[in-house]
Amino acid sequence: MKDEFYENNTDDSYYFNFHLAKNNFMPAHYHKSTEIIFVRQGRVKVIVNGKERILSAKEIAVFNRFDVHCIRGEEKSELYILVFSEMFYPKLARGFVLENFLSTGKNTEEVFSLLDYFYRLRESSTHMMQAGFIEMLLGILYASYSVHEEKWDDGADYYIKILRYIDKNCAEALTLENIAAHFGYTKHYFSMLFNKFTGMHLREYLNRLRVERVAMYKKEHPDESISRIAFACGFNSLNTYYRALKNIEKDNIKSGNF
């Protein structure tokens, strides 16, 4: 393991976090959710996938899924930090990502006005308001800056490769045995490795990922039966899906995510 860590608490299906940070420091980490930082004032040092940049006021950094990133704000710096799960991503934007570093542009003032406005409403915001905020924000950013098809660097560290592989193939019959074999590990070593860097067992991780996919598909295809969706997302029975959903809801209530 290297110094970066997997921030798995941000990978809940409806994860949304928007706050104002001062003199922020966050060591190298990564997660499946998208994170965007907006420098409100001062200077912030950002490192993402080994690329380093000093950002000034009104500049933006985007951390796409599984980007390893580190943030260190100088004294008197302020930045908005927005982290949101795949569930919030507009359908038209999926599969395309922004560059990691965005300089000021023609719509920068509108972006920061939107951030200031939503920040005042954050404590009373609903899922619908949060989704609308992200859709409008991404709409402005995608129209203002260049986007490209999401591609993953083959040189990524092995544990990020594993998470990406599972993310891509979660609808298949994944097991400890076949994933371990794919990466050249024994079943027991892979189990220990996975538990160590995710903080959960493979079955729990897969269930969370599949439940999220079910919710996303149901949102986009409301007339489709839940059983067909559950099977298409990797569950082998409807009972397995409901049991996984119930367990995740219990965990979220305990951790205060609901």
Side-chain angles (χ1 to χ4, degrees), residues 45-53 63 68-71 101:
K45 179 179 179 181
V46 175
I47 303 174
V48 53
N49 296 331
K51 297 178 291 184
E52 182 177 323
R53 187 78 61 87
F63 311 129
V68 178
H69 53 284
C70 172
I71 306 168
F101 299 107

Side-chain angles (χ1 to χ4, degrees), residues 50-220:
K51 297 178 291 184
E52 182 177 323
R53 187 78 61 87
I54 302 295
L55 302 185
S56 300
K58 301 301 174 70
E59 292 189 304
I60 302 167
V62 180
F63 311 129
N64 297 301
R65 297 190 304 156
F66 299 118
D67 281 347
V68 178
H69 53 284
C70 172
I71 306 168
R72 184 185 293 274
E74 296 182 359
E75 188 177 358
K76 296 183 179 180
S77 63
E78 290 185 1
L79 65 155
Y80 284 123
I81 299 178
L82 171 65
V83 187
F84 55 95
S85 65
E86 190 178 12
M87 176 67 69
F88 286 98
Y89 237 88
K91 185 177 180 180
L92 293 176
R94 290 183 192 151
F96 296 90
V97 294
L98 291 155
E99 300 292 339
N100 291 129
F101 299 107
L102 308 179
S103 300
T104 55
K106 62 180 181 179
N107 293 317
T108 300
E109 291 300 329
E110 285 78 4
V111 168
F112 278 82
S113 293
L114 178 61
L115 295 169
D116 291 337
Y117 174 75
F118 193 80
Y119 183 72
R120 295 193 295 270
L121 302 177
R122 70 195 185 284
E123 294 183 358
S124 59
S125 65
T126 64
H127 282 315
M128 184 179 294
M129 292 168 65
Q130 293 164 1
F133 165 63
I134 290 174
E135 186 159 1
M136 179 173 287
L137 179 64
L138 289 182
I140 297 173
L141 293 177
Y142 273 52
S144 305
Y145 300 96
S146 61
V147 297
H148 58 86
E149 189 174 352
E150 183 179 38
K151 293 181 180 179
W152 285 328
D153 179 13
D154 290 337
D157 290 314
Y158 63 90
Y159 42 91
I160 300 179
K161 287 183 180 180
I162 290 170
L163 293 179
R164 290 173 175 172
Y165 176 81
I166 294 172
D167 189 65
K168 182 179 179 181
N169 298 284
C170 69
E172 307 299 325
L174 295 179
T175 65
L176 272 174
E177 289 86 352
N178 60 30
I179 301 176
H182 179 83
F183 287 97
Y185 299 124
T186 66
K187 171 185 172 181
H188 296 294
Y189 179 77
F190 176 78
S191 177
M192 179 190 70
L193 187 71
F194 189 85
N195 294 351
K196 183 178 180 180
F197 68 70
T198 65
M200 66 183 77
H201 296 292
L202 175 66
R203 181 183 298 276
E204 180 185 354
Y205 184 84
L206 273 172
N207 282 342
R208 285 181 170 271
L209 187 55
R210 287 167 174 164
V211 165
E212 178 180 322
R213 296 293 165 85
V214 169
M216 288 174 60
Y217 196 91
K218 185 64 176 175
K219 181 181 177 182
E220 295 167 6

Side-chain angles (χ1 to χ4, degrees), residues 2-16:
K2 293 188 176 181
D3 291 335
E4 62 260 26
F5 65 93
Y6 175 42
E7 194 176 34
N8 58 44
N9 65 301
T10 68
D11 290 343
D12 290 325
S13 296
Y14 283 97
Y15 188 85
F16 177 94

